[in-house]
Amino acid sequence: MITYLADYETSLVWEWVLAMVVPSIALIRLALWSDRMPPQNSVGAIRARIERERRAAAADPIRRRPVTDTRAARRPVHRRSAA
């Protein structure tokens, strides 16, 4: 009976190790050694790119009118219009 209880307690310990320790180690590894974000995707790089594009648009002598509506633009009505 004592050997049975010893084997049972040992199996409980191994089950606990498998159920708790192994997933915890996997989560810690993911948290500490995850892949780094590429430098071009950092917040600072994105802000710098937006600022460069804004300055380039401001320096452009031929600026396009901003799109304000998603519908197709209507042609202006002239006096000699066929419609």
Side-chain angles (χ1 to χ4, degrees), residues 2-80:
I2 293 176
T3 58
Y4 172 76
L5 288 176
D7 290 340
Y8 178 72
E9 287 177 3
T10 305
S11 67
L12 285 179
V13 169
W14 285 114
E15 289 173 1
W16 185 84
V17 166
L18 288 175
M20 300 298 287
V21 174
V22 172
S24 299
I25 290 172
L27 288 174
I28 290 171
R29 184 193 176 282
L30 284 174
L32 296 179
W33 290 288
S34 61
D35 292 334
R36 293 195 51 145
M37 184 178 8
Q40 67 267 19
N41 290 346
S42 68
V43 174
I46 292 172
R47 285 183 179 158
R49 187 179 71 230
I50 291 171
E51 187 62 30
R52 278 195 314 270
E53 291 173 358
R54 185 178 293 145
R55 287 181 186 156
D60 190 8
I62 304 172
R63 294 182 59 177
R64 294 186 177 178
R65 195 175 61 161
V67 177
T68 57
D69 197 1
T70 58
R71 294 178 291 176
R74 297 180 63 193
R75 290 184 357 195
V77 178
H78 294 289
R79 287 184 302 156
R80 298 183 184 164

